[in-house]
Amino acid sequence: MLPGHQEPWREWEAALSGPRMHHGWMLAGRQGLGKREFALAAAHKLVGGGPAPDEHPDIIVLSRPPKDDKEERKRAEGKEFERKRNITVDQIRAMQRRLTTRPTLGARRAIIIDPADDLEKGASNALLKSLEEPPEGTFFLLVVHRPARLLPTIRSRCRVVRFAPLAEGEVAKLLAESAPQADAATRAAAIAAAGGSPGAALEFVAQDLSPIAALMRAILTEGDADFQLRGQLSAAIGARPDRERMQATFDLGRAILAEQMGAVPTAQLMQLADAHADLVALAGQAPTYNFDPQFLAMEIGSLLASAAPNKERAYV
């Protein structure tokens, strides 16, 4: 059992032993808390054991597919591959066709959607139909990092299991075990930026986000009247960052803004809160709209600059 999963497991096992199991579950919490691992293990218990969770015929996992045929070949060869921006309506419809047959090994089937945040609009609408009239013995586990991005009608049909951030000491222990190559300064910066998410801390180390974090803090404390720091931030993020690096950068920016909220005068809190809200909105729009990475980098820098002491809100 992963750290922080004790309460989610208590809820799941109580439901399994109850007289009537709810058909829709939303596993909610920030990215990097092990919700996918929980979903696979919980689905395995639900269907009654058998083959490994990622090979079980009655456990269907939907995630963002390869970007194109070239990336599909990379996946088939076991190589790293680039994914599409969203889980597509075709994936949902293919899953629904499978639901017209009975489960293979038992009476139950589990559908894991990871992350459900990334469902395209048509896919969300198609999924809603299955949640409204689920086939007997079918249960849905939606891995969700940002519940507000789901349709309210989907949220209302799911029972929510919340995953809380870990204490810094727990993150530090996991980071020391999983990334022993990181030096003490990098580990400390990763823990501070992770917001209780061991996955975010590991991503911080893997993506080498220390220079980005230092520039973000400099913009937030000093402002950036001449745009020089924003230019350096854009260069540190890179001209063509992949989705994972861009997402890690957004998460880092939010974490640094949240961290700062506990250390500023009341007069600055509104600026920080507004910048945080705008950064959350921008992160939500980025996967949907084809923003230029350099535009995103400069906009992130401008949101941070707008929250600096005695600065008016400004945008690029």
Side-chain angles (χ1 to χ4, degrees):
M1 183 185 299
L2 292 176
H5 285 198
Q6 292 84 352
E7 182 59 23
W9 271 117
R10 186 196 66 76
E11 290 188 47
W12 184 254
E13 290 173 345
L16 281 176
S17 61
R20 187 175 181 181
M21 183 80 171
H22 195 75
H23 71 276
W25 293 76
M26 186 167 71
L27 312 180
R30 68 166 302 172
Q31 191 167 358
L33 294 174
K35 300 188 297 297
R36 179 187 176 92
E37 290 78 6
F38 177 91
L40 286 167
H44 201 234
K45 280 199 171 187
L46 175 77
V47 301
D54 56 355
E55 299 173 353
H56 200 293
D58 294 326
I59 299 176
I60 301 171
V61 181
L62 301 183
S63 57
R64 292 183 292 115
K67 181 180 178 180
D68 50 33
D69 291 343
K70 178 182 177 182
E71 299 304 314
E72 177 62 54
R73 288 193 293 272
K74 288 182 182 178
R75 179 171 71 169
E77 295 168 1
K79 299 178 180 177
E80 291 289 327
F81 63 94
E82 188 175 352
R83 295 177 181 269
K84 289 185 177 180
R85 292 180 178 273
N86 299 102
I87 297 171
T88 68
V89 66
D90 289 340
Q91 289 176 273
I92 298 297
R93 288 173 177 162
M95 174 270 291
Q96 289 170 329
R97 289 193 291 271
R98 290 186 63 177
L99 299 188
T100 62
T101 64
R102 294 178 58 82
T104 303
L105 300 182
R108 290 174 167 176
R109 176 188 280 128
I111 312 297
I112 298 171
I113 301 179
D114 174 34
D117 314 50
D118 285 344
L119 287 164
E120 64 184 21
K121 184 177 180 179
S124 294
N125 291 329
L127 175 63
L128 180 58
K129 295 179 181 178
S130 292
L131 287 171
E132 289 174 336
E133 300 179 6
E136 184 176 354
T138 296
F139 299 85
F140 295 86
L141 293 90
L142 310 185
V143 175
V144 181
H145 309 317
R146 300 179 185 87
R149 292 181 61 184
L150 287 182
L151 290 176
T153 43
I154 288 179
R155 297 200 303 267
S156 68
R157 285 164 174 79
C158 294
R159 176 172 169 178
V160 180
V161 177
R162 300 194 182 279
F163 289 73
L166 303 186
E168 286 193 356
E170 292 178 295
V171 177
K173 181 179 178 182
L174 289 169
L175 194 59
E177 293 170 353
S178 302
Q181 77 283 0
D183 58 42
T186 299
R187 287 202 301 271
I191 293 165
S197 166
L202 288 168
E203 189 70 12
F204 185 102
V205 173
Q207 294 283 358
D208 189 23
L209 296 182
S210 291
I212 295 177
L215 286 165
M216 285 182 170
R217 288 194 172 93
I219 293 171
L220 189 55
T221 56
E222 302 168 16
D224 186 29
D226 57 7
F227 282 73
Q228 287 192 13
L229 289 175
R230 271 171 276 196
Q232 293 175 38
L233 178 64
S234 179
I237 292 171
R240 298 184 62 186
D242 59 22
R243 179 189 172 99
E244 286 68 29
R245 184 169 179 79
M246 205 69 240
Q247 185 60 59
T249 299
F250 278 122
D251 290 342
L252 176 61
R254 287 197 299 268
I256 287 174
L257 282 165
E259 167 191 280
Q260 192 71 7
M261 286 181 190
V264 299
T266 304
Q268 195 188 347
L269 278 176
M270 185 60 72
Q271 290 173 270
L272 288 165
D274 286 347
H276 189 277
D278 288 342
L279 190 58
V280 169
L282 183 62
Q285 294 167 355
T288 304
Y289 299 99
N290 192 25
F291 289 132
D292 178 81
Q294 297 302 298
F295 164 81
L296 287 174
M298 293 298 286
E299 188 70 1
I300 291 169
S302 291
L303 289 172
L304 293 168
S306 74
N310 302 318
K311 301 295 178 183
E312 296 182 359
R313 294 179 62 73
Y315 300 91
V316 292

